[in-house]
Amino acid sequence: QVRLVESGGGSVQAGGSLRLSCAASGYTYSSYCVGWFRQAPGKEREGVAAIDSDGSTSYTDSVKGRFTISQDNAKNTLYLQMNNLKPEDTAMYYCARESVTSRTWYPLCRGRRFGYWGQGTQVTVST
């Protein structure tokens, strides 16, 4: 079955960097849009960045110029390089894969439904 496992979260000071990884298994990795999402306490989950099967990328406005999504198809792994982190980036970060049967739609990869989720990795940015 589809499995997504995130790693790389941690605590950093504002202005610092982290790189998140998401190891995918159970499907043909490069055939789907995959993305990063985050949810802060008391807030709705939001789409952060995604990469489509054709390699095109999309980002939410608040992270453009600071975050970079990439993937290694040989390793079935998705990455999120996060630079110049801000306290408002503090959240649980999840990776997810698109699923046409899901009801959960996000404005990433030109608008897709995402239905397979990892367990999340915490990112905390302090001042």
Side-chain angles (χ1 to χ4, degrees), residues 2-5 22-27 29 34 75-78 95:
V2 176
R3 187 168 185 236
L4 302 167
V5 180
C22 172
S25 61
Y27 70 99
Y29 175 75
V34 287
K75 295 182 178 180
N76 289 358
T77 301
L78 180 71
C95 65

Side-chain angles (χ1 to χ4, degrees), residues 7-12 18-20 82 85 90-91 121-125:
S7 62
S11 297
V12 296
L18 283 173
R19 188 175 83 154
L20 306 183
M82 304 186 294
L85 282 160
T90 294
T121 186
Q122 177 68 37
V123 171
T124 303
V125 185

Side-chain angles (χ1 to χ4, degrees), residues 12 25 60 68 73-74 77 83 89 91 93 104 108 111 119 124-125:
V12 296
S25 61
T60 192
T68 303
N73 290 338
T77 301
N83 298 328
D89 295 318
Y93 282 71
T104 310
L108 296 174
Q119 83 289 347
T124 303
V125 185

Side-chain angles (χ1 to χ4, degrees), residues 4-9 19-23 29 33-39 45-51 58-60 63 67-71 77-82 92-97 106 108-109 114 117-118 120-121 123:
L4 302 167
V5 180
E6 303 95 336
S7 62
R19 188 175 83 154
L20 306 183
S21 299
C22 172
Y29 175 75
C33 171
V34 287
W36 288 98
F37 301 76
R38 65 187 180 186
Q39 188 166 22
R45 186 168 54 194
E46 68 168 337
V48 176
I51 188 163
S58 49
Y59 297 89
T60 192
V63 307
F67 291 11
T68 303
I69 190 170
S70 63
Q71 61 188 355
T77 301
L78 180 71
Y79 302 100
L80 185 68
Q81 178 66 43
M82 304 186 294
M92 185 70 79
Y93 282 71
Y94 302 88
C95 65
R97 199 208 83 176
Y106 290 89
L108 296 174
C109 290
F114 291 82
W117 298 85
T121 186
V123 171

